[in-house]
Each structure stands twice: as C-alpha cells, then as structure tokens.
Amino acid sequence: MEQVDITIIGAGVIGLAVAARLSKSGQNILVVEKNPSFGQETSSRNSEVIHAGIYYPKDSLKAKTCLEGKELLYIFCTQNKIPHKKIGKLIVATKKEEIPDLQGLLENGLASGVTDLKILSQKETKSLEPNIDCLQAIYSPSTGILDTHSFMKALLFQFESQAGMIAYNTQVTAIGKVKDGFEIFVQDTREGNFEFFSRFVINCAGLNSDQVAAMSGIVKDEYKI
C-alpha cells in the first residue's frame, strides 16, 4: 500500500495555503481534490474582498485572525505579484435611525484593533464617492480586493516547487483509523478505486468538511453544515 506523511483533502484556498506552508517541512504531502482543478467551489465564488475586521466581536478568534491575516495577505500579494488593491470601503447610514448602528460598528471595529476607521460626514462621503447619498459613513481604508485565482496559483506553485503532489478528479469515499495513521479510500475518475496510508489527515473540504469529518468517525453537532 502506498504511504504519505500528510494528506490534505480539498484544493481550495485553505487546502492550498496549508499545503504551501507544510511543504516547507520536507514531509511527503498529497493534496486530494475531487474536481478537475483547484479552487472550483467556494474559493472561486466569493467577492474577493480582503476584510478589515470590523464586524467580529472584540477578542474573538475571528477578529484576531482577520486582522493578522489581512496584513499577511497584503504582504503575500505584494511579494508574489498577485493583483490586489486597497480600494477602501464605505459603510453608510441613509436614515437618522441608522446612525447609532453605524457608531456601534465603528466602536466595535476600533475595539477589535482596526485603528484606521473614521466617520465621514455627508459632504466628505460625497467627495469620496459622488454616487452615494447618505447622512454619514464609516470609511475603512484597509479593506481591499485581490485576484483569488492568482492567489491560489501562487500557493499551488509554492507547494509543487517543494515536491508536493496533487491528485485531481479524486474523491475521498472513506477514512479508516488504523495504527499510526489513517487508511484513505478514494475514487479516481481514471484509475478507479484504491486506498493508501497517511500518517496525518487535514480536512480542508469546505462545504463538505462535515461529511469528511464523519468519515473519520468525528460526528459532532457543531461540525454540521
């Protein structure tokens, strides 16, 4: 039976990012992806926004990782020549009753560490974006956008340049816990059904991650999607 050190299930942006980072360890790593190419599900169906971290509760894990990840993402995009831009974002109040909510968002964002937020008047907002008609707005200059396909290509390049392997058109059908690791059963559109041994399994299957977890015997209510 073939053996690998680490199997990563899913070649979306999370799976590729994990693969790129772990490939530097020198271990034998395989990424398994059921689609014909990488990033063909949620990772290619999003707004491509680099979020500032305004909305998450103070001291929450989401707030912490969003702030740290935002800065790391801008650095990675610059270093790897990935198209991106800090275009900024406006959150607007068009009615008087919406202004307290706007203030609450501002206070939450500042408390979470998004230090560059500021309130703009109606006139200031108009000068920035003439097509907006509002009473007040929060301006978030560190919000941006990126080309997610180029981002994933750069991650894949880093992974494969470190001898990482990726198997497309290969769907995991079962995972069995065995001594010192896992036996993984897959269905390949060309090779048919086969199994291999992996010391570790990392579940990056996106909207199917709860099903993959269940295959390995992890059935928890908080894992259900």
Side-chain angles (χ1 to χ4, degrees):
M1 183 184 296
E2 299 235 1
Q3 298 187 18
V4 296
D5 294 319
I6 301 171
T7 299
I8 299 168
I9 301 173
V13 67
I14 301 299
L16 293 175
V18 171
R21 175 58 63 89
L22 290 180
S23 66
K24 299 174 184 178
S25 67
Q27 298 182 87
N28 185 13
I29 303 172
L30 172 67
V31 175
V32 178
E33 169 57 52
K34 68 179 182 180
N35 290 299
S37 187
F38 63 88
Q40 294 204 331
E41 296 190 12
T42 310
S43 296
S44 58
R45 290 164 174 80
N46 59 77
S47 58
E48 301 188 310
V49 171
I50 300 174
H51 290 282
I54 300 166
Y55 302 101
Y56 302 125
K58 178 187 174 183
D59 298 326
S60 67
L61 183 60
K62 283 187 176 181
K64 181 176 182 292
T65 54
C66 188
L67 256 70
E68 291 182 9
K70 172 183 65 177
E71 299 306 325
L72 291 171
L73 198 48
Y74 279 125
I75 292 169
F76 186 90
C77 287
T78 300
Q79 290 176 341
N80 293 277
K81 296 181 173 56
I82 295 164
H84 70 287
K85 189 175 183 180
K86 282 187 183 180
I87 59 171
K89 175 179 179 176
L90 291 167
I91 308 167
V92 302
T94 59
K95 303 173 184 176
K96 284 185 178 179
E97 53 266 34
E98 292 175 342
I99 291 177
D101 292 335
L102 204 66
Q103 188 63 38
L105 272 179
L106 176 71
E107 291 171 1
N108 184 77
L110 292 172
S112 294
V114 191
T115 56
D116 57 359
L117 301 176
K118 58 182 178 180
I119 288 283
L120 300 183
S121 66
Q122 185 178 39
K123 185 178 179 181
E124 289 171 324
T125 307
K126 274 282 188 186
S127 67
L128 194 62
E129 177 46 73
N131 292 311
I132 289 180
D133 187 15
C134 66
L135 301 178
Q136 282 186 4
I138 294 174
Y139 178 50
S140 169
S142 64
T143 300
I145 54 173
L146 81 160
D147 180 344
T148 53
H149 186 76
S150 296
F151 178 49
M152 288 187 284
K153 277 183 71 177
L155 292 170
L156 179 61
F157 175 79
Q158 288 190 1
F159 173 59
E160 291 186 323
S161 65
Q162 296 288 337
M165 301 176 293
I166 186 163
Y168 296 117
N169 296 305
T170 304
Q171 184 162 3
V172 175
T173 56
I175 301 172
K177 184 72 179 77
V178 295
K179 183 182 179 182
D180 299 326
F182 298 87
E183 191 173 4
I184 303 175
F185 298 82
V186 298
Q187 184 176 49
D188 186 291
T189 55
R190 293 162 300 179
E191 303 293 332
N193 299 326
F194 65 93
E195 66 270 2
F196 62 95
F197 173 83
S198 182
R199 289 175 54 232
F200 300 99
V201 177
I202 302 177
N203 180 1
C204 299
L207 295 177
N208 296 308
S209 56
D210 56 343
Q211 297 173 39
V212 172
M215 287 181 195
S216 65
I218 301 172
V219 181
K220 296 182 179 181
D221 287 338
E222 60 265 35
Y223 279 20
K224 289 181 181 177
I225 298 176

